[in-house]
Amino acid sequence: MDLSAINPILFIAGFFVAATPLIFAAVGELVVEKTGVLNLGVEGMMIIGAICGFATAVETGSPLLGFAAAAVGGAVLSLLFAFLTQVMLANQVASGLALTLFGLGFSALLGQSYVGVKPPRLADVDFGSLAEIPIFGPIILSHDLIVYLGLALVVAVWAVLKYTRIGLVLRAVGENHDAAHALGYKVVRIRTLAIMFGGACAGVGGAYISLIRVPQWTEGMTAGIGWIALALVVFASWKPFRLLLGAYLFGGLVQLQLNLQGAGVAIPVEYLAMSPYVITIVVLVFLSRDKGAAPASLGRIFHASS
Amino acid sequence: MTQPLLSLNALTKAYPGVVANDDVSLSIAAGEVHALLGENGAGKSTLVKMIYGLVRPDSGQMHMNGAPFTPSEPRAARAAGVGMVFQHFSLFDALSVAENIALGMENAPKLSELSARISAVSEAYGLPLSPDRIVGDLSAGERQRVEIIRCLLQEPKLLIMDEPTSVLTPQEVEILFKTLRKLSAEGTAILYISHKLEEIRTLCDSATILRLGKVVGHCMPRETTAREMAELMVGKLLQTPTRAAQPAGDVLLSLTGLRAKAPNTFGMALKDISLELRAGEILGIGGVAGNGQDELLAALSGERPAGRGMVVLKGEDIGPLGPTARRARGLLTAPEERMGHAAAPDMSLTENAMLTGALRQGLDKGGFLNWPAARQFAEDVIKQFDVRTPGPHAAARSLSGGNLQKFVIGREVMQRPEVFVVNQPTWGVDASAAAAIRQALLDLAQNGAALIVISQDLDELMEISDRFAALNEGRLSDPRPAQGITVEEIGLMMGGAHGMEVAHV
């Protein structure tokens, strides 16, 4: 075992990369759940985003176009969920699970001809001389655009939910859909838009895995990140910054176990591989003491007549 | 008289299987307080929903100040000057008072500015309210103030109030009436929905009475007796429950220093409750909703077991026992919320009869269920309590509120309880069904059972109880003989007007 092989700066910089897919997926789901909808299809929307982004980036040669396509792909798939749960009033849990299974299968079909292909690389953002500041530069200012976009998204979601009227209406719909309807807010429309936002975010998160983190296409490559995102939203008590913290914890643990594997620690790989999932959940369970934070209408079907 | 502010002409609205409003006409002048009277299901809610733009009439016209008025959504109705204070469903527990109010406004100002305006209006109309508090922590009276202020900020020409006093203490009702009179003096018309006739007689200028979706009469409440209005509403003569006085028997149930933590953030802790209940008596427990009624019922039924020695039934400590063990010993309960708590809505009446009756009626043997016996039991309840339903196979959900309530109460009464605890026995039940339920409770006491009746309806408690006590902030006042107690005294036992001291902040 050789721990000196781990470069601390690269190690910490890796947190950001490892956490980004989770941040996107989780912050999207947070908005969806704030409107009172439980979409368990995050994993499915991520993998669809991963293949849509991958295919588009390979065909056009532009990773940014790839991310845009991933967002569209995730949002389109989420529309299926919106149709089932908001129009047909189907059970949200069952619809979400179906969405995940469908996404996993459909992405495998779409991705058949992309196995083994190498995607174009997204360049890191150029901060000029700022990036040369010791330690800070290589850790914080050495990433691609999407990493910073993810951070900005968390801040934006927090600010919108807390300070704007849109955020207030959104929370109101999730808190008591009957009351929101009685006041004249369009519950189904607001929820559908939130579901699409969640889908787009999950899609971008998935594409980050296939275009940057891995980068290649393999079936089922999201490997449960969508499920962790769902758990993260709950255990972060629907608070954006706590969610960010949880995502970095997870990212850090992933980095750590990869580095430990590389350093040849005498623990079976399977234990190392599962450790980030287990530890993140355990830590978050202890952090989330305020159980009353859940939106009161979460998962309940809304019908205007009742 | 000048032209009316709002006039409705031959409004009709039908839902599949039922005509909710049939050819309803009425008119309201500016500054008039107009009562809309009727039993549950008479079509009051549908009518006001049409005025507020939540439901569109199938036919008929509405005119506001002479011009056609066809609100397609609540936003349009609000813009035209219609404000509505709902009975349920319109506040968000997790949000603050100011946020709740902002949600009901078209062009809400910044929260800080809005808070200042809320304070100003609450001062002007004598409705104390602090804008930063979380609505989930407020009393029912304070929650209602949130809704009223939300409407007042829009300077409505017509204010619709749906059963506004059902959750208030007498003192809070007085504050509300003062506010309403002030509004009416300023020229705001008020459409006041209620089935509390005495209130209508003190507050309203005119009344329209609905029965089964049709207007059955107009009257001047001040010149009409409550009984006449009630009989117009029900369409038949009312029976007053009766009982013979009898001496109290042995102590059956005693609570000593009963305490329980609040079950959740918005619940109420029970603090040091002690009482003795004797055979043949009815103890009425009043109090504003959310002061520990549900928690007391849970502690008595065994849903939330109490500590050792806190609940004693016929000399036996049953504190730590669960509901089934308590049932076996003769302590039966009927919680409020018949849909979901007292009955399983999607199960049949037979299944619901099985759920609580299995033990005392011997409906199961060695874990196997005796369905024919359960069906027979359900049929007996249906027959004895005049439950209107196609039969025991009908789902509980398909029954009307009053019929399901009769079934839920009857199911327990037929199991011959020695001690029977019931919460809100006649909530949302029409007058004739309520009278039948009260009579059943009185008969039960007559036959030697001891009863605790928890209710929000003071008239009901005065009618049937031997002794009266009130719950306030999880504490129980000392029970007093119900005979000769005044409304004033009851109000004080219930804790007076909540939040009065906030007025001068």
Side-chain angles (χ1 to χ4, degrees):
Chain A
M1 174 165 108
D2 182 15
L3 288 179
S4 65
I6 301 174
N7 176 339
I9 289 185
L10 278 182
F11 172 60
I12 296 174
F15 284 19
F16 290 90
V17 176
T20 296
L22 187 53
I23 290 174
F24 270 99
V27 90
E29 179 67 11
L30 183 141
V31 170
V32 176
E33 291 192 14
K34 271 288 183 188
T35 65
V37 177
L38 182 66
N39 185 352
L40 295 183
V42 180
E43 181 84 4
M45 301 185 299
M46 282 186 89
I47 194 90
I48 286 289
I51 186 58
C52 288
F54 191 87
T56 309
V58 168
E59 300 302 337
T60 63
S62 158
L64 283 179
L65 271 182
F67 279 107
V72 172
V76 167
L77 185 62
S78 74
L79 264 182
L80 179 64
F81 177 81
F83 174 74
L84 288 175
T85 60
Q86 303 303 306
V87 182
M88 305 306 288
L89 306 181
N91 179 293
Q92 295 182 358
V93 171
S95 306
L97 292 175
L99 199 69
T100 288
L101 293 175
F102 173 70
L104 287 169
F106 192 54
S107 64
L109 179 70
L110 290 177
Q112 271 174 347
S113 56
Y114 291 97
V115 178
V117 177
K118 208 154 173 50
R121 216 182 91 74
L122 181 62
D124 291 344
V125 180
D126 185 8
F127 285 95
S129 56
L130 281 178
E132 276 147 41
I133 303 170
I135 303 176
F136 178 78
I139 291 179
I140 308 284
L141 300 179
S142 63
H143 300 290
D144 53 81
L145 186 63
I146 305 297
V147 169
Y148 302 114
L149 207 64
L151 285 174
L153 191 66
V154 173
V155 177
V157 163
W158 168 78
V160 166
L161 284 177
K162 192 166 164 79
Y163 292 113
T164 69
R165 185 163 176 88
I166 297 174
L168 180 61
V169 172
L170 214 137
R171 280 186 289 147
V173 167
E175 193 55 44
N176 184 343
H177 49 218
D178 294 318
H181 174 71
L183 288 172
Y185 294 105
K186 306 264 185 269
V187 174
V188 170
R189 188 184 303 171
I190 290 165
R191 286 190 168 165
T192 302
L193 289 173
I195 290 169
M196 287 176 72
F197 175 79
C201 287
V204 171
Y208 195 81
I209 300 177
S210 65
L211 285 175
I212 293 174
R213 182 143 166 70
V214 175
Q216 59 173 343
W217 168 252
T218 44
E219 273 180 38
M221 68 183 307
T222 44
I225 303 278
W227 297 110
I228 282 289
L230 277 162
L232 191 58
V233 174
V234 175
F235 294 128
S237 306
W238 293 269
K239 293 189 171 74
F241 287 113
R242 210 183 279 185
L243 184 149
L244 194 64
L245 203 74
Y248 282 135
L249 175 71
F250 179 79
L253 288 166
V254 168
Q255 257 337 79
L256 183 68
Q257 69 94 359
L258 286 176
N259 277 287
L260 287 179
Q261 278 188 35
V265 176
I267 304 173
V269 172
E270 289 79 8
Y271 287 110
L272 286 173
M274 78 181 188
S275 62
Y277 297 88
V278 175
I279 297 173
T280 305
I281 296 289
V282 169
V283 169
L284 287 168
V285 165
F286 281 101
L287 277 182
S288 62
R289 284 290 154 86
D290 39 356
K291 302 254 175 347
S297 292
L298 186 60
R300 283 171 46 210
I301 290 175
F302 170 73
H303 188 252
S305 72
S306 54
Chain B
M1 202 165 112
T2 52
Q3 78 172 4
L5 174 74
L6 177 75
S7 65
L8 313 179
N9 192 6
L11 284 182
T12 298
K13 174 77 195 175
Y15 290 111
V18 56
V19 182
N21 277 169
D22 187 359
D23 196 21
V24 173
S25 305
L26 64 88
S27 67
I28 306 169
E32 177 184 336
V33 185
H34 192 106
L36 195 55
L37 266 168
E39 296 207 291
N40 295 301
K44 294 170 298 184
S45 301
T46 306
L47 185 65
V48 295
K49 277 182 183 163
M50 289 194 280
I51 302 174
Y52 196 58
L54 281 166
V55 171
R56 234 178 275 210
D58 295 337
S59 67
Q61 304 88 39
M62 297 189 270
H63 289 89
M64 174 84 90
N65 282 326
F69 174 61
T70 51
S72 55
E73 54 174 359
R75 219 171 281 247
R78 284 201 294 266
V82 179
M84 177 151 171
V85 176
F86 294 90
Q87 185 185 11
H88 312 286
F89 307 135
S90 115
L91 289 178
F92 305 92
D93 280 353
L95 307 183
S96 76
V97 169
E99 284 176 329
N100 263 286
I101 290 178
L103 279 167
M105 295 177 71
E106 290 317 309
N107 305 303
K110 281 214 179 85
L111 274 188
S112 55
E113 196 183 315
L114 183 63
S115 297
R117 280 180 59 194
I118 292 168
S119 301
V121 170
S122 75
E123 194 79 17
Y125 288 94
L127 297 166
L129 194 64
S130 154
D132 306 321
R133 293 184 61 194
I134 298 296
V135 166
D137 300 335
L138 300 182
S139 77
E142 288 171 312
R143 283 156 169 265
Q144 188 182 57
R145 280 176 219 159
V146 178
E147 299 225 18
I148 297 176
I149 289 175
R150 173 155 76 189
C151 290
L152 293 186
L153 282 172
Q154 325 248 15
E155 289 160 6
K157 286 180 268 178
L158 172 68
L159 187 61
I160 303 172
M161 306 212 62
D162 192 358
E163 303 259 349
T165 58
S166 52
V167 292
L168 304 184
T169 63
Q171 276 84 352
E172 285 176 325
V173 170
E174 220 153 279
I175 298 178
L176 173 70
F177 281 12
K178 248 180 226 160
T179 307
L180 294 182
R181 289 203 186 96
K182 188 172 158 114
L183 277 169
S184 131
E186 287 170 5
T188 308
I190 294 165
L191 186 59
Y192 189 92
I193 302 173
S194 181
H195 54 242
K196 294 199 180 171
L197 303 164
E198 284 305 329
E199 276 174 8
I200 286 174
R201 295 191 60 226
T202 49
L203 182 73
C204 301
D205 305 314
S206 54
T208 297
I209 299 161
L210 291 179
R211 185 169 75 230
L212 301 175
K214 288 195 177 90
V215 175
V216 291
H218 294 276
C219 66
M220 294 291 171
R222 291 200 178 93
E223 296 154 18
T224 316
T225 66
R227 198 176 179 89
E228 283 168 349
M229 287 197 278
E231 284 170 3
L232 269 174
M233 248 162 75
V234 183
K236 62 179 174 197
L237 297 178
L238 283 175
Q239 284 175 344
T240 319
T242 52
R243 72 184 294 205
Q246 60 173 1
D250 302 332
V251 174
L252 286 186
L253 177 78
S254 66
L255 305 182
T256 330
L258 173 66
R259 294 158 189 283
K261 284 203 189 105
N264 56 50
T265 353
F266 298 130
M268 177 62 69
L270 295 178
K271 295 159 196 142
D272 206 14
I273 291 181
S274 299
L275 62 84
E276 281 195 338
L277 190 65
R278 291 175 180 277
E281 80 163 342
I282 298 183
L283 172 67
I285 296 184
V288 176
N291 271 297
Q293 285 90 340
D294 296 352
E295 291 79 1
L296 178 60
L297 186 106
L300 287 171
S301 71
E303 276 175 61
R304 300 182 71 217
R308 291 208 167 275
M310 288 180 181
V311 185
V312 176
L313 181 73
K314 292 183 288 179
E316 185 190 1
D317 176 13
I318 58 163
L321 298 182
T324 312
R326 293 188 189 196
R327 282 184 170 276
R329 287 163 176 75
L331 169 58
L332 270 56
T333 52
E336 70 165 350
E337 249 190 289
R338 45 190 167 260
M339 290 289 187
H341 197 169
D346 290 319
M347 294 176 97
S348 72
L349 295 179
T350 304
E351 286 166 314
N352 272 295
M354 177 66 92
L355 284 173
T356 78
L359 187 71
R360 285 182 79 80
Q361 297 299 113
L363 303 180
D364 66 341
K365 208 165 248 154
F368 287 94
L369 303 176
N370 184 352
W371 285 116
R375 195 169 309 120
Q376 187 57 49
F377 178 47
E379 269 166 14
D380 289 347
V381 174
I382 291 168
K383 202 163 137 226
Q384 197 101 16
F385 283 82
D386 187 27
V387 180
R388 310 277 164 79
T389 168
H393 55 83
R397 187 186 292 287
S398 68
L399 270 65
S400 75
N403 277 313
L404 184 54
Q405 188 71 24
K406 282 197 274 190
F407 181 80
V408 165
I409 301 273
R411 178 181 65 179
E412 306 303 326
V413 169
M414 299 271 291
Q415 294 178 46
R416 307 166 314 279
E418 289 178 63
V419 177
F420 184 40
V421 184
V422 56
N423 192 4
Q424 299 274 50
T426 60
W427 183 75
V429 165
D430 60 51
S432 47
I437 289 172
R438 286 176 198 148
Q439 188 61 55
L441 296 178
L442 288 170
D443 292 346
L444 198 56
Q446 190 78 41
N447 294 332
L451 274 74
I452 294 181
V453 178
I454 306 172
S455 175
Q456 316 268 303
D457 185 340
L458 288 178
D459 297 334
E460 165 171 287
L461 291 178
M462 289 305 101
E463 192 175 304
I464 64 172
S465 358
D466 299 299
R467 290 190 298 154
F468 175 83
L471 270 171
N472 181 27
E473 302 270 321
R475 277 177 239 279
L476 189 72
S477 70
D478 283 333
R480 304 178 40 166
Q483 205 126 44
I485 198 167
T486 68
V487 171
E488 204 78 8
E489 286 167 321
I490 292 173
L492 289 174
M493 286 168 90
M494 284 163 67
H498 287 265
M500 291 287 274
E501 65 285 353
V502 193
H504 309 290
V505 175

